[in-house]
Amino acid sequence: MNITLATALVAGLPLTAAAVAFAHPRVGRMAALGTGLLLLPVLAVLVLEALRTGPWRHNLGGWTAPLGIGWQVDALALTLLALTTLVALAAAVYRVAEGRLTRDSRYRRYFWPLWLFLWGGLNALFLSADLFNLYVILEMVSLAAVALIAAAGGPALAAAWRYFLATLLGSTLYLLGVALLYGQYGALDVSLLSGRAEEELVTLAAAVMITLGLLLKGAIFPLHFWLPPAHGRAHAAVSAVLSAVVVTAAFYLLLRLWFGPFAGMLPGLPAQLLGLLGAAAVLWGGVLALLQRHLKMVIAYSTVSQLGFALLVFPLAAADALPDQAHAGMLMLLLAHGLAKGSLFLAAGCLAWQWGSDHLRRIGPPMAGGSLPAWIAIALAAASLVGLPPSGGFVAKWWLLESALAARAWPWAAVIVLGTFITAGYLWRILRDPLRATSVDSAVVPAQGPPLPIPLAMPWAALLLALAAIASGLFATALRSAFAAGGLAG
Amino acid sequence: MNATQLALLLAVLAPWLALTALALPALRRRATLLLPLAALPALLLALAGPDPDAGIVLPGLLDQTRLALDGTARAFLLPGALLWLLAGAYAHRHLLAHALRFAVFWLLTLAGYLLLVLAADLLTFYAGFALMTFAAYGLVTHTGSATALSAGRLYLGLMLIGEVALFTAVAWTTMLAGPGHSPDLAGLGADMEPAAALLFAIGFGLKLGAPGLHAWLPRAHAVAPVPASAVLSGVMIKVGALGGWRLLEGGLEVPGHGALILTALGLTGTFYAVAAGLRQPEPKTILAWSSVSQMGLMVALLGMAAAGTSAGAPPAAVWAGLAVMLAHHGLAKGALFLGTGLLATTADRFTRRTLLMGLALAGAALAAAPLSGGALTKAALTSGIPGWLAGLTGTATALLMLHFLQRAASRPTEPMTGQNGDTGGTRGMSLWWLTLTPGLLLPWWLADTSLRESALTASAIGDGLWPLVLAGVLAGGAWWLRSRWPGVGVAPARQSHPTRGAPRPLPGMARLAHWWALTERQLHRWPVIGRTATTMILLLALALVFSATT
Amino acid sequence: MTLYLLLAVALLIIGLHGLFVCAQLMRKILALNVLTTAVFLLLVVLAQAAEVLDPVPHAMVLTGIVVTVSTTAVALGLMVRLLERRGGPVSGRDRDSRNS
């Protein structure tokens, strides 16, 4: 397949499918599933090309950088594209199967167009190298995400509202920074700016604005206020994509900029500050996950906590001892966390359907009424999040810890180690009550009748994602060399 | 691929194949049938003998997963696989509610065990270690009673600490050996940083139930179902010794007086655990304390090996003693646990008497009676510590075993609650003798000639007798005292803690949680968000300006 | 030019203040609009500052206005749904903005 065509299809296919699904609501499901299935071979072509030739740049319409808009394809972009495709496909399968359980609502016909719109926006975001183009895409992703959250109705409306204000504020601050950068350097392309940017007051101001905007969008502590309600109250399929990919997208931009145009300003205090925010997020989100009573809220706070680990890449990569290992670990963390988190949300959705609530005391035992696959998915995804070998989460923490130890950065090493305990604590709470329920003296569990039967595709979608999270660790060596071939550090 | 490599692969994969087979509904109803079968290939592999050259590499998995059966692995695998098989057969005959769940956790634990024993590289070893440790939680809490859950919580918490310590140590080691690459286990210990070695020691010590790190062991063993207790005590905790062995074999130099401290700690633990076990009324808890005591001996042996390594090369006698101890303690302890289970459900007087005799034999072997495997271990032990001290450890164990026999015999029979109601009988007994006999004989087969000869001299036999006689005298004295003055030496009942089952929140914890949730709610309010965002802007700007100007 | 820059900064502060402090939903939307206007003003000033008039910021502002129109539309729609559900007046207040 032509590489140019393949690159264009990655973003074009979902957007076209979105238009089709909007015009013909009946084919919405097929459009979503078909998009996912078609994107897999397209991505495979791109990955093979990257393995063969290394990272490359693609100028849209043949126009080069100062005037035209560029796309860049490298290990970071391809990994996140693959993550998006896997999670969105699994969540679409889940949602299609779930569709048989619900009655028609007024807004249902808009679900698939919005879904595909979000998907296309995310794909474009991971490809684009133009800061203003990225602003438009960010807004696109935000609008679709807000609408999808609001589609759950009820309390999700208020959550969607808060998310909307936060993300719009984030975009505006980002645009402000972009405007300052353009005023100073007359360029919008990331790689052009990387060559031109210097440590000047305007660049500093731009960096502050852009970073703050993206911290807001990425729900980094202490600006995480919008995430738990939004992710906890949306439909399970929506939560899966939001938690696995959408917040990661904001983080992705932080990486692109701080290891691109702002790289000269990173070492020293700024890197330490970002790392400190990460450490605080690990602790704060983890403890709050411990305090939640609803399964989906635990998972949502876990996202706040896990993204904190990824932020450690800034001090570790800036420390210059094993920067490649820090980058690889962070990338692995994003991948493994995305897969595991998607799986957890889908499995939580299954259990909530079966038992009528996702309250930790209400969801029933694994052996009752076909909820076993969902529980296996939760167990496997939890194993990856905690970092049990040979899962992807383990490999991610292993590489990050290697980098921290090599830099003799004991505080960051301690954060990785302590974060493991907190993660184990809140995931243990999820698994504890159902384990107790299977016991002989099952006095703890309130009787609530048999669980509802659900289509098998729902838990299996979760299970496949969890297995992918484990597999990403099993084949870590292959991934590591692929990361290296695809130009690891931005 | 030659036959050994194929056998190696099959041994590691067997539990996974069994797990896959559980997908068949027909097998699911008789899931426990697979338990002994899953350990069979490993046993055959171990019987075939070590062949370190015939390792296999699984490219692409983790970092080149490497498997091999060297001498060290075989010393663990032979008794280990045998006990897994026999205990699995026991579980199949005498189980148990929720057999399917038990089978799943059992197979996962077994899979982890086989992987770690046969691993030739650090990462594979650690992966197997973690899988075994966490899957065993399902076995510990199988009954689901409040005490089991509370013991399980303790087990899980301590194992998590051990696991994280190991993880840090693994990352440290791989970082030095070449980031992202898993070093070979052979030669691992050479040039290791002391801090990394200490972390390894914590991880392995927790698994082993080394003195001071043993808190989980008596409680977990007491609550687990009988076959699970047997493998926990007989096989799984020794994995900690395997880790220590691998490090020392690989040339780890314990700095300063570390080796001496290890030996002293191990011996202290040996006696302390006996004293603690003598206060226990439950036969299984007594056996668990006996395990703690025996693991103390193992720590002492490791300390002696470390002393040897620092001096040059570890004495071969110590290694041989460790290998023998693995076999004899593993199988004898397994037989003791399984026998306790059988005894508790057998009403027939003749069978009970035979069982008690068998248990006495196994107990005597643990107490290093002459001609037993324990005597061989003691012969190895005397290469590092005075003979009278080694003898006293035998006395202590013998006392504990007498206490165990007395408690086990006086315990009333309880009705069997499992599905396979036909308890005891000749078939159950034959299975049990099958466990005990190799426990008595295997050490002799494994021991090298010098050890065998040193244990068979007349003076060694004589030396082996006085500790038992002393134990008999002491026990008799205690019995006489108690018959004269009832109540002397009876410990206040400690086992019944009604509140033990419920988790007790630490003081102040609730207030902290409350504060945390309140602060979080504040962070969700728009005016506060505004202030937070402004502060963040200032912080970021300050950090950037400061680092730009300096 | 400095005057316009100062104006942009003033608008920025007004917008941020409105977003964080005003409790009414409608005012929050307006505050966001003020905020974007500040950024657009900045872009136009930057275009003016170049020696030859730079068309790129103008294109950016135009695109930005289109984006803002759509986001404002979505915001209004969401607000209406939210207020419908609460059954309150159109001048409804954000519950998390109370100064308590």
Side-chain angles (χ1 to χ4, degrees):
Chain A
M1 199 192 300
N2 188 337
I3 294 300
T4 316
L5 178 67
T7 322
L9 274 181
V10 169
L13 201 60
L15 292 178
T16 320
V20 171
F22 184 70
H24 304 281
R26 282 168 185 283
V27 302
R29 287 182 301 176
M30 300 319 295
L33 294 180
T35 303
L37 292 177
L38 280 174
L39 276 179
L40 288 177
V42 172
L43 276 177
V45 168
L46 291 183
V47 168
L48 288 178
E49 177 72 10
L51 287 179
R52 207 164 54 82
T53 63
W56 76 89
R57 207 186 137 82
H58 178 74
N59 294 314
L60 287 186
W63 296 87
T64 46
L67 204 56
I69 289 171
W71 279 5
Q72 60 189 11
V73 187
D74 59 6
L76 182 58
L78 281 174
T79 308
L80 292 179
L81 281 175
L83 171 68
T84 312
T85 311
L86 286 178
V87 174
L89 183 58
V93 168
Y94 171 92
R95 177 70 193 169
V96 168
E98 189 186 38
R100 293 195 212 144
L101 296 172
T102 50
R103 59 198 163 72
D104 237 354
S105 89
R106 198 153 54 112
Y107 300 102
R108 205 178 158 192
R109 57 167 297 184
Y110 299 118
F111 183 84
W112 290 116
L114 284 170
W115 178 271
L116 287 160
F117 199 61
L118 177 72
W119 197 340
L122 285 169
N123 282 357
L125 193 142
F126 293 132
L127 288 173
S128 182
D130 182 278
L131 288 182
F132 187 74
N133 190 234
L134 280 169
Y135 162 72
V136 179
I137 297 172
L138 273 176
E139 292 290 50
M140 209 168 106
V141 169
S142 305
L143 287 184
V146 166
L148 281 172
I149 294 171
L157 278 176
W161 170 256
R162 296 169 64 75
Y163 174 46
F164 192 48
L165 292 183
T167 190
L168 268 192
L169 177 62
S171 307
T172 312
L173 290 174
Y174 170 85
L175 183 63
L176 182 63
V178 172
L180 289 173
L181 280 182
Y182 184 81
Q184 192 71 11
Y185 302 110
L188 289 168
D189 188 86
V190 174
S191 45
L192 268 187
L193 275 172
S194 304
R196 293 184 193 175
E198 289 159 31
E199 279 190 42
E200 290 172 288
L201 201 59
V202 180
T203 326
L204 291 186
V208 169
M209 287 303 159
I210 289 181
T211 307
L212 189 73
L214 292 175
L215 289 179
L216 254 173
K217 279 177 165 294
I220 306 295
F221 175 84
L223 299 172
H224 62 284
F225 60 94
W226 58 267
L227 188 142
H231 290 192
R233 287 170 185 170
H235 282 307
V238 176
S239 303
V241 173
L242 288 181
S243 241
V245 197
V246 175
V247 282
T248 312
F251 184 76
Y252 159 85
L253 281 183
L254 274 181
L255 290 175
R256 274 275 185 252
L257 288 164
W258 277 106
F259 293 111
F262 303 150
M265 301 187 291
L266 182 61
L269 267 186
Q272 305 298 318
L273 181 62
L274 287 172
L276 208 60
L277 287 181
V282 168
L283 177 70
W284 192 266
V287 170
L288 279 161
L290 269 172
L291 298 177
Q292 300 306 309
R293 295 198 179 88
H294 289 267
L295 180 52
K296 282 181 75 181
M297 288 304 275
V298 176
I299 306 173
Y301 270 110
S302 142
T303 303
V304 175
S305 175
Q306 294 291 314
L307 281 174
F309 282 114
L311 270 176
L312 293 183
V313 74
F314 292 106
L316 293 181
D320 230 27
L322 274 180
D324 273 7
Q325 208 65 2
H327 276 285
M330 175 273 306
L331 200 49
M332 196 71 189
L333 186 86
L334 293 183
L335 181 68
H337 167 254
L339 291 170
K341 200 43 73 69
S343 169
L344 278 178
F345 266 119
L346 294 186
C350 292
L351 294 177
W353 267 109
Q354 290 201 297
W355 302 94
S357 157
D358 71 333
H359 195 285
L360 284 177
R361 294 256 160 186
R362 291 278 183 79
I363 44 180
M367 297 296 177
S371 50
L372 186 60
W375 275 113
I376 295 179
I378 290 183
L380 289 179
S384 179
L385 272 191
V386 175
L388 293 187
S391 65
F394 159 72
V395 174
K397 283 186 186 162
W398 173 38
W399 290 346
L400 282 175
L401 191 59
E402 275 188 343
S403 162
L405 292 174
R408 310 242 146 205
W410 311 124
W412 304 133
V415 168
I416 296 171
V417 168
L418 288 179
T420 305
F421 283 111
I422 301 182
T423 313
Y426 61 72
L427 290 171
W428 161 236
R429 280 193 68 232
I430 299 181
L431 291 165
R432 178 191 61 187
D433 286 331
L435 275 178
R436 190 176 288 189
T438 51
S439 60
V440 182
D441 51 352
S442 54
V444 196
V445 174
Q448 59 218 303
L452 277 179
I454 53 170
L456 262 185
M458 287 165 67
W460 274 95
L463 191 53
L464 284 179
L465 278 184
L467 286 174
I470 303 284
S472 66
L474 264 182
F475 302 106
T477 325
L479 276 172
R480 183 72 175 78
S481 52
F483 289 166
L488 186 63
Chain B
M1 184 178 274
N2 63 30
T4 319
Q5 289 174 319
L6 199 66
L8 205 57
L9 201 60
L10 189 64
V12 171
L13 285 183
W16 297 105
L17 294 177
L19 271 173
T20 323
L22 285 181
L24 298 174
L27 271 174
R28 223 175 293 165
R29 257 170 277 131
R30 298 181 56 75
T32 46
L33 185 62
L34 294 170
L35 302 189
L37 290 181
L40 189 59
L43 181 61
L44 295 177
L45 176 74
L47 282 174
D51 188 359
D53 300 326
I56 45 175
V57 181
L58 305 174
L61 279 187
L62 279 172
D63 180 58
Q64 315 273 7
T65 290
R66 279 151 277 164
L67 303 171
L69 182 71
D70 56 5
T72 313
R74 197 235 188 184
F76 282 81
L77 190 64
L78 185 59
L82 184 61
L83 187 57
W84 274 106
L85 191 147
L86 292 166
Y90 179 95
H92 176 57
R93 282 202 50 76
H94 302 279
L95 218 58
L96 276 184
H98 303 294
L100 177 60
R101 197 183 52 175
F102 185 81
V104 168
F105 282 119
W106 180 280
L107 289 173
L108 281 173
T109 315
L110 175 60
Y113 175 76
L114 293 177
L115 191 65
L116 87 91
V117 170
L118 293 174
D121 69 295
L122 182 59
L123 217 52
T124 311
F125 176 84
Y126 175 59
F129 199 94
L131 177 60
M132 185 192 84
T133 299
F134 289 108
Y137 171 78
L139 299 179
V140 171
T141 58
H142 183 75
T143 59
S145 63
T147 37
L149 287 170
S150 117
R153 204 162 39 237
L154 182 68
Y155 172 80
L156 207 58
L158 287 178
M159 285 303 130
L160 190 66
I161 293 175
E163 213 57 40
V164 168
L166 275 185
F167 170 58
T168 315
V170 166
W172 208 322
T173 317
T174 57
M175 183 265 291
L176 291 177
H181 291 291
S182 171
D184 279 325
L185 280 180
L188 183 69
D191 307 325
M192 183 173 280
E193 287 205 26
L198 186 66
L199 286 169
F200 269 123
I202 292 174
F204 292 143
L206 271 166
K207 178 95 265 176
L208 188 66
L213 303 172
H214 63 277
W216 63 275
L217 201 147
R219 287 181 66 193
H221 284 56
V223 296
V226 168
S229 297
V231 285
L232 258 176
S233 211
V235 187
M236 277 195 254
I237 53 176
K238 301 200 173 61
V239 162
L242 174 61
W245 191 335
R246 290 276 191 209
L247 288 183
L248 291 171
E249 196 180 42
L252 176 74
E253 290 199 14
V254 180
H257 296 293
L260 190 65
I261 292 174
L262 266 185
T263 312
L265 184 75
L267 287 172
T268 319
T270 304
F271 293 109
Y272 166 76
V274 167
L278 283 175
R279 296 157 57 90
Q280 295 295 332
E282 277 291 315
K284 277 177 74 186
T285 317
I286 301 171
L287 286 181
W289 277 110
S290 152
S291 283
V292 176
S293 165
Q294 296 289 310
M295 291 308 109
L297 280 187
M298 212 170 251
V299 170
L301 275 172
L302 283 172
M304 284 156 59
T309 314
S310 302
V318 176
W319 288 136
L322 251 176
V324 167
M325 186 174 181
L326 285 171
H328 107 86
H329 176 256
L331 287 163
K333 195 46 76 63
L336 281 168
F337 269 110
L338 296 180
T340 315
L342 280 177
L343 195 67
T345 52
T346 311
D348 177 45
R349 285 191 66 140
F350 174 73
T351 322
R352 281 179 73 86
R353 238 175 244 169
T354 343
L355 260 174
L356 279 171
M357 273 182 44
L359 288 176
L361 265 178
L366 279 189
L371 303 180
S372 72
L376 287 168
T377 313
K378 208 178 86 180
L381 207 59
T382 45
S383 72
I385 58 169
W388 58 269
L389 195 54
L392 277 183
T393 63
T395 309
T397 307
L399 272 177
L400 192 59
M401 283 301 122
L402 284 172
H403 177 57
F404 159 75
L405 284 172
Q406 189 253 326
R407 296 301 313 180
S410 62
R411 210 155 176 265
T413 312
E414 60 193 39
M416 191 76 176
T417 50
Q419 297 155 333
N420 307 15
D422 58 327
T423 65
T426 43
R427 279 182 64 196
M429 285 303 290
S430 58
L431 184 65
W432 188 71
W433 285 109
L434 257 174
T435 318
L436 182 60
T437 319
L440 299 176
L441 297 183
L442 197 60
W444 288 97
W445 184 44
L446 288 175
D448 59 355
T449 10
S450 65
L451 199 62
R452 236 180 279 171
E453 278 164 6
S454 68
L456 277 179
T457 55
S459 71
I461 295 178
D463 277 348
L465 274 178
W466 69 259
L468 296 189
V469 174
L470 179 61
V473 169
L474 283 174
W479 179 78
W480 179 77
L481 271 177
R482 201 171 292 173
S483 64
R484 291 291 298 273
W485 296 287
V488 168
V490 177
R494 275 184 65 193
Q495 77 281 15
S496 60
H497 263 288
T499 52
R500 260 266 162 84
R504 276 167 305 173
L506 295 169
M509 221 48 168
R511 205 182 303 161
L512 182 65
H514 183 64
W515 171 84
W516 212 291
L518 270 187
T519 317
E520 169 75 1
R521 211 182 299 161
Q522 283 295 313
L523 281 176
H524 286 215
R525 288 179 49 234
W526 281 109
V528 182
I529 296 166
R531 266 168 256 155
T532 322
T534 321
T535 318
M536 295 280 295
I537 290 183
L538 286 176
L539 277 178
L540 275 170
L542 276 179
L544 279 168
V545 168
F546 188 79
S547 78
T549 48
T550 49
Chain C
M1 174 164 155
T2 321
L3 184 67
Y4 289 114
L5 271 181
L6 286 177
L7 186 59
V9 172
L11 282 178
L12 196 73
I13 292 171
I14 292 173
L16 284 175
H17 182 264
L19 180 66
F20 290 130
V21 177
C22 291
Q24 288 184 16
L25 303 187
M26 189 67 199
R27 288 200 183 185
K28 280 191 192 290
I29 297 178
L30 291 177
L32 271 174
N33 276 341
V34 171
L35 207 59
T36 30
T37 312
V39 179
F40 295 156
L41 184 59
L42 184 75
L43 274 168
V44 174
V45 172
L46 290 176
Q48 200 75 33
E51 283 153 18
V52 187
L53 193 64
D54 189 356
V56 175
H58 288 131
M60 284 162 69
V61 170
L62 273 179
T63 319
I65 288 174
V66 174
V67 170
T68 313
V69 166
S70 18
T71 49
T72 311
V74 175
L76 288 172
L78 191 59
M79 186 189 82
V80 169
R81 287 281 308 277
L82 198 59
L83 293 176
E84 266 176 14
R85 181 164 175 274
R86 283 195 198 155
V90 183
S91 61
R93 301 166 86 83
D94 196 313
R95 288 180 185 171
D96 295 306
S97 292
R98 280 168 305 192
N99 277 311
S100 56

